[in-house]
């Protein structure tokens, strides 16, 4: 039981590491400015239809990239916090049950 | 209870959170169709198409929450997972960045309709507060990320179950759901902006070249992270998973 638990942990670690390697290696091996795919699509639109004008602006114009990245980090932090809370709760519940037995 | 366990667990979670925050903080744009970049008629078309799916999703979500209040935490979890993953703008092999959708986990647990609601909430949050995507294009973005992605993922998961490989099914559901989302986005842009020569199809190959290729490695990462959370649930929340199995068997 405990050895399968251990191998599960190793498994999970491998999952995390692989995801990190996949995400980081482009930065090391590929030259690019890593602009968003959406701004590239936007350029493509202007290429296909040069006279197209965006007919409405976003409601909220963010005052710069730093603020934008702050908000994205905020979004990720909320989500990650909830995930940590729920998984932690489930885990604690299971352990408590284990001790009762 | 072993002493080292909670500490190790804690460090794994912290590392994950840390990685997520670091990737999120890199300044870049994302994807989704931006505000004003669909002609009005197309914007309305996709709104109309997405709306019934959203209504069905609300129904399915409130039914699940009403009949199984003990699953509310798990609902929060799948929403949060999509919330985190769609905040992560990850560099890709094409030299540009995009972000995963994170709908796959919820799709295998609760089905595609519930994720239509979750995905829409994420998109609404990003459109209103982050100026990412847009309100006029929300219908189109909901249709790709919260309808097509989840349903494709669901089909993939069902296939995995049929051949008796559930884990593979979970992985592929996340991958294919993410890929399908961006292929749908490419189709939407191609329909609205057909090329002067070659028409819709030529446009599609161009947009798919931007979105699709960028998304391939991201989809794999998304699949791996989905499996990670799935593993946690299997070891710590077997009860909830059993209830969900029964739910699925009944529908």
């Amino acid at each position: 039981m405990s050895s399968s638990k251990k191998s599960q942990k190793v498994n999970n670690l491998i999952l995390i590491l692989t995801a990190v390697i996949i995400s980081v290696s482009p930065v090391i091996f590929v030259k690019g400015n890593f602009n968003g795919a959406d701004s590239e699509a936007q350029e493509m639109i202007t290429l296909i239809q040069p006279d197209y004008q965006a007919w409405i602006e976003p409601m909220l114009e963010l005052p710069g990239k730093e603020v934008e990245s702050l908000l994205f980090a905020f979004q990720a932090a909320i989500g990650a916090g909830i995930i940590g809370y729920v998984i932690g709760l489930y885990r604690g519940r299971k352990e408590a049950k284990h001790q009762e037995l | 209870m072993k002493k080292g366990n909670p500490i190790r667990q804690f460090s794994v979670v912290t590392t994950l959170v840390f990685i997520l925050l670091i990737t999120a903080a890199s300044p870049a744009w994302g994807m989704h169709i931006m505000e004003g970049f669909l002609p009005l008629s197309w914007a309305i078309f996709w709104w109309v198409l997405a709306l019934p799916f959203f209504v069905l999703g609300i129904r399915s979500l409130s039914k699940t929450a009403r009949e199984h209040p003990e699953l509310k935490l798990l609902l929060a979890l799948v929403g949060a997972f999509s919330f985190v993953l769609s905040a992560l703008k990850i560099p890709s092999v094409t030299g540009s960045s995009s972000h995963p959708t994170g709908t796959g986990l919820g799709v295998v647990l609760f089905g595609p309709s519930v994720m239509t609601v979750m995905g829409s909430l994420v998109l609404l949050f990003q459109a209103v507060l982050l100026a990412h995507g847009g309100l006029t294009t929300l219908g189109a973005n909901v249709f790709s990320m919260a309808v097509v992605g989840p349903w494709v993922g669901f089909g993939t998961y069902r296939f995995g179950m049929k051949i008796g490989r559930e884990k593979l099914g979970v992985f592929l559901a996340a991958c294919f759901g993410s890929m399908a989302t961006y292929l749908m986005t490419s189709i939407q842009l191609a329909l609205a902006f057909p090329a002067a020569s070659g028409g819709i199809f030529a446009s599609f190959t161009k947009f798919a070249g931007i979105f699709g290729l960028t998304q391939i490695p991201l989809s794999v990462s998304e699949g791996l992270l989905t499996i990670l959370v799935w593993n946690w649930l299997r070891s710590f929340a077997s009860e909830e998973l059993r209830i969900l199995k029964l739910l699925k068997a009944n529908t």
Side-chain angles (χ1 to χ4, degrees), chain A residues 9 34-35 37-38 42 55 97, chain B residues 5 30 34 36 38 95 97 239:
Chain A
K9 264 185 195 153
F34 295 102
N35 275 338
D38 58 350
Q42 198 181 330
W55 54 278
K97 212 176 257 174
Chain B
N5 254 347
M34 301 213 277
L38 272 186
S97 303
E239 252 167 72

Side-chain angles (χ1 to χ4, degrees), chain B residues 92 157 178 249:
Chain B
S92 180
Y157 173 66
S178 187

